[in-house]
Amino acid sequence: MSSRAAPLTQSLSSLLRLARYRFFVVAGLLPYLVGSAAAWRCGEHWRLDLFLLGLLGVLCAEAAVEAFNEYFDAQTGNDFVFAAEPSGPLPAWVLWAGLGALAAAAAV
């Protein structure tokens, strides 16, 4: 693995650890799928491309929520109540990843 790929792999691994999959499934994915199933059942013009685009929007919105939650909790120290040892502030790229994900969700 090259020296440039190692930090990228470490950053992606850190980003994936931020995600709380239970929250994503219950608050984001499940309501979207129920609504989509209802639209598919009731409507004549259900389109796969719009379904996938909406799913991308939900994924981006959830990624933004997670990134903002982790970044600002680390900045304010709110999550340190549950941590055995404070981990310190998160890098600025977490905030930028949240802003990018929010912009992508808004674009969708």
Side-chain angles (χ1 to χ4, degrees), residues 63-89:
V65 166
E66 292 298 327
F68 289 147
N69 177 54
E70 292 299 322
Y71 181 79
F72 288 112
D73 279 354
Q75 293 295 319
T76 60
N78 290 336
D79 270 353
F80 296 149
V81 172
F82 301 107
E85 184 176 308
S87 60

Side-chain angles (χ1 to χ4, degrees), residues 3-84:
S3 61
R4 293 187 113 168
L8 178 63
T9 304
Q10 185 178 13
S11 295
L12 289 175
S13 174
S14 298
L15 186 61
L16 289 175
R17 276 184 277 159
L18 292 177
R20 294 178 292 173
Y21 67 90
R22 290 183 196 115
F23 178 75
F24 165 70
V25 169
V26 173
L29 190 60
L30 185 62
Y32 182 75
L33 292 177
V34 168
S36 296
W40 177 73
R41 178 72 173 108
C42 294
E44 299 174 8
H45 303 291
W46 188 87
R47 292 177 36 193
L48 179 62
D49 58 338
L50 292 179
F51 170 77
L52 294 175
L53 186 63
L55 185 60
L56 177 64
V58 169
L59 291 172
C60 290
E62 291 294 328
V65 166
E66 292 298 327
F68 289 147
N69 177 54
E70 292 299 322
Y71 181 79
F72 288 112
D73 279 354
Q75 293 295 319
T76 60
N78 290 336
D79 270 353
F80 296 149
V81 172
F82 301 107

